Amino acid sequence: QVIDIISIGPDQNAQEHFFQPDGMDPHSDGAGGVPLRKPADLADIYQASRCGNYPVVRCYAGTNALISWADMLEETIHVAWGAVPITWYSELDGRSSRSLIHAISENQQAITHYAKKGIPVEVNESHQWALRNTSDVIEVATAYIASYNAKMLGVKHYVMQYMLNTPPGISFEMDIAKMLAKIDLIEALHDAGFTSYRMIRTGLASLSSDPDIAKGQLASSITISMALKPHIVHVVGFSEGDHLASPEEVIESCKIARGVIGNCLTGLPDIAGAREILQRKIEIVNETKVLLGAIERLADDNTDPLIDPNVLTKAIATGLLDAPLLKGRSVAKGVISTKIINGACQTIDPNSGEILKEKQRIEQLGL
């Protein structure tokens, strides 16, 4: 009775080869998640969850055959919401062999498929860029692009994941500023047919391998995240810095979160109103608009550029959307340099070390 939502992360073999099991590598079973091998595995997990709070269940998309995954998840676990990226699970990250442009198109089809069924959707896009050390501005831009795609593809109820503590070294103040910038841009999309829900999450790479230290990090992350007034708290097990969480560790992590949430609901100081945070938020919003404008100018016809797979592919190929850890990926530039400066993840000139504004960066790309 401590958890309301169970999130299933399938292993790579399942995500990529569930419907073509001959392609699985037995040596990789369990790599990155749950070794699902047949629909009955999901049905069994759902039945085992019929206790305590009778939690709803959700599961990440496959990296291939996303619509088949969506139908199976609806039938077996009554999936609470779909979790699909826009550009990832492709040659961009090597999670599947799909070309980038094909992956974007297929991911959009899966989002539309969920939307037509009236199932909410999460587009797990921007934190993937943050995990590859992209700048705050690019992370916010990709969050907006993902949300805009969801709206334009017919999603009515949208789960927006705000993963904090990413990339490593970002300060609590500048992290909140970045997330408030996302909220400003994304929630401006709200109307009678589109609503987003804020889901906070501790950064995957931010937890110590020492369990006692990790418990403190988890509690502090959730405390600060509560300044965003979330609808959902996605609890990362405190043990994740060392090993996959056991059932006992999941329960303990959720109890830690409940203690934090209970305290915060009695009255949390207005962290979001701090002058430095508001200044940085405004700066990120303005810089993000410069970047989004540059992406929109890549369109050569009357299509809506931010949902056009050709434009989004070109935005990555030209380096408008880029991250240092994409270096070596054939479909990305990987030339951007970023650095944590005064707690914020900034784009810098690799030669001088000076901060680059988006206008300067775009000019250096020759665009």
Side-chain angles (χ1 to χ4, degrees):
Q1 296 183 7
V2 298
I3 190 167
D4 306 304
I5 303 161
I6 292 175
S7 176
I8 302 173
D11 71 353
Q12 180 62 28
N13 267 338
Q15 284 192 288
E16 189 170 5
H17 301 297
F18 189 93
F19 296 100
Q20 299 87 30
D22 290 344
M24 291 187 183
D25 176 4
H27 295 98
S28 299
D29 282 349
V34 184
L36 304 168
R37 295 295 178 263
K38 54 188 182 298
D41 293 340
L42 285 158
D44 287 346
I45 289 172
Y46 183 79
Q47 286 305 315
S49 72
R50 300 304 85 200
C51 60
N53 284 350
Y54 287 76
V56 296
V57 185
R58 50 88 82 168
C59 180
Y60 287 99
T63 65
N64 277 313
L66 274 74
I67 290 177
S68 295
W69 265 98
D71 288 338
M72 177 177 66
L73 295 178
E74 183 186 16
E75 292 167 5
T76 55
I77 63 171
H78 312 287
V79 65
W81 69 82
V84 185
I86 294 290
T87 62
W88 303 98
Y89 299 172
S90 66
E91 59 185 336
L92 184 62
D93 57 356
R95 295 284 303 278
S96 84
S97 59
R98 297 184 300 167
S99 69
L100 177 57
I101 192 167
H102 171 67
I104 293 171
S105 179
E106 188 176 12
N107 291 343
Q108 290 174 329
Q109 291 170 25
I111 293 168
T112 302
H113 189 71
Y114 278 117
K116 287 181 176 178
K117 290 175 173 285
I119 297 172
V121 174
E122 169 191 347
V123 182
N124 45 316
E125 179 71 21
S126 66
H127 72 268
Q128 296 284 0
W129 290 91
L131 288 166
R132 289 160 178 85
N133 294 356
T134 198
S135 68
D136 289 344
V137 172
I138 292 176
E139 182 187 341
V140 173
T142 57
Y144 177 81
I145 290 169
S147 306
Y148 184 79
N149 269 258
K151 179 175 181 177
M152 293 299 105
L153 296 171
V155 174
K156 290 182 169 53
H157 300 283
Y158 179 63
V159 179
M160 176 61 208
Q161 181 180 143
Y162 297 91
M163 181 187 285
L164 284 90
N165 321 114
T166 312
I170 192 168
S171 71
F172 276 143
E173 280 190 322
M174 296 299 99
D175 212 358
I176 290 296
K178 178 173 65 176
M179 297 309 168
L180 290 173
K182 289 184 182 183
I183 288 170
D184 269 19
L185 291 166
I186 291 166
E187 296 190 3
L189 296 171
H190 285 190
D191 57 26
F194 180 77
T195 301
S196 70
Y197 301 89
R198 303 174 191 174
M199 179 171 72
I200 59 170
R201 179 177 183 175
T202 299
L204 286 172
S206 70
L207 296 173
S208 171
S209 58
D210 182 311
D212 296 318
I213 293 174
K215 290 173 188 177
Q217 291 170 326
L218 175 63
S220 65
S221 173
I222 296 173
T223 300
I224 298 299
S225 303
M226 288 296 290
L228 301 177
K229 297 180 171 61
H231 303 94
I232 304 169
V233 176
H234 183 143
V235 180
V236 177
F238 68 82
S239 69
E240 293 286 342
D242 183 67
H243 60 270
L244 293 173
S246 68
E248 293 76 19
E249 288 163 337
V250 169
I251 291 167
E252 186 176 358
S253 298
C254 289
K255 285 184 174 180
I256 291 170
R258 280 181 172 248
V260 169
I261 294 164
N263 283 344
C264 290
L265 290 178
T266 65
L268 189 66
D270 184 19
I271 302 169
R275 181 171 58 86
E276 295 82 0
I277 290 175
L278 290 175
Q279 287 176 342
R280 177 60 178 159
K281 180 195 77 170
I282 293 168
E283 179 184 17
I284 295 173
V285 168
N286 290 337
E287 288 288 282
T288 299
K289 289 178 178 178
V290 172
L291 174 54
L292 291 172
I295 295 171
E296 288 169 346
R297 288 192 293 276
L298 294 176
D300 54 10
D301 52 32
N302 294 322
T303 61
D304 187 339
L306 296 185
I307 63 170
D308 186 335
N310 291 291
V311 172
L312 296 177
T313 300
K314 191 173 181 181
I316 293 171
T318 57
L320 284 175
L321 298 179
D322 201 7
L325 298 185
L326 288 179
K327 185 176 182 179
R329 288 290 172 190
S330 61
V331 291
K333 280 276 191 181
V335 297
I336 192 173
S337 294
T338 61
K339 184 179 180 180
I340 302 294
I341 299 176
N342 296 325
C345 192
Q346 301 272 17
T347 304
I348 61 167
D349 184 305
N351 299 313
S352 67
E354 295 294 316
I355 294 172
L356 279 181
K357 296 293 187 182
E358 279 304 290
K359 186 174 183 295
Q360 296 171 292
R361 186 178 76 88
I362 292 164
E363 288 172 352
Q364 288 190 6
L365 291 171
L367 300 172

